[in-house]
Amino acid sequence: MARPAALTFLLAAALCGAGCASHHPKHRVAKATAIPPPINVGTVALVNEAGHFALIDNGTSAAPPTGATLKTYTDGVESGVLQSTEVRRHPFVIADIRSGLPRKGDRVTYDPYHGGQPPEAEPKPSGDSEAQTPGAANLPTPPQVRF
C-alpha cells in the first residue's frame, strides 16, 4: 500500500511542478500598461485662415510645449492639426494650422504618447567638423586653478 501512495505523491509533485513553472517570474506575460488619454489643452478662441494660425484659450490648463502637435475636434470629430508656437500670453497660445479647418469653439488636445512630442532640436549645420563631433571636444575648457 505504501507504493501507490508514493506513486500518487510523485505524480502530484510532477504535475504541480509543470503547472507551477508557468507561475515563475520568467514565464509570466508582461501586463500591458495603460496609455493615458490625450491631454485637453483648451478650446479654439479664434481662427485666422489667411494667416494660417489659431488662438487657443487654455484657461487654467498648462500650455503645451512649443512645437507640440495638437489636434482640434468639432463635435468629437477631428477637424484639424495644429503646431504650438512659442507665442503665448496666459491664457492664450498661438498655434500654426498644419492641416484641416479648425473652428472657433473646437476642443484642442495634446497627446505626447502618440507622436505629439515636440521635435528635437536639430543640429545646426556648420563648416567646422569639430563642432559636429560628439564627445569631449565639444565641452568647454574648465578654468585653470593655480596654487
Side-chain angles (χ1 to χ4, degrees):
M1 264 212 157
R3 203 172 267 192
L7 286 174
T8 304
F9 174 75
L10 287 175
L11 182 60
L15 290 174
C16 180
C20 295
S22 66
H23 296 291
H24 192 272
K26 289 184 180 177
H27 300 288
R28 289 187 185 153
V29 176
K31 293 182 180 178
T33 56
I35 297 175
I39 301 165
N40 284 326
V41 173
T43 57
V44 175
L46 174 106
V47 176
N48 184 326
E49 291 179 30
H52 299 290
F53 71 88
L55 180 67
I56 301 168
D57 181 356
N58 63 328
T60 59
S61 301
T66 300
T69 300
L70 309 173
K71 293 188 178 181
T72 61
Y73 294 89
T74 304
D75 299 325
V77 178
E78 186 177 316
S79 59
V81 177
L82 310 174
Q83 184 173 15
S84 63
T85 67
E86 60 190 26
V87 180
R88 52 190 74 211
R89 184 171 199 140
H90 189 72
F92 299 105
V93 174
I94 300 285
D96 294 327
I97 299 172
R98 295 293 175 215
S99 66
L101 184 60
R103 292 191 244 164
K104 182 178 178 180
D106 282 3
R107 183 173 60 100
V108 182
T109 64
Y110 166 58
D111 191 354
Y113 307 102
H114 291 106
Q117 287 287 31
E120 295 293 325
E122 295 181 19
K124 295 179 182 176
S126 70
D128 188 11
S129 62
E130 284 186 28
Q132 295 177 355
T133 306
N138 292 335
L139 297 176
T141 307
Q144 297 295 323
V145 179
R146 296 184 185 183
F147 293 99

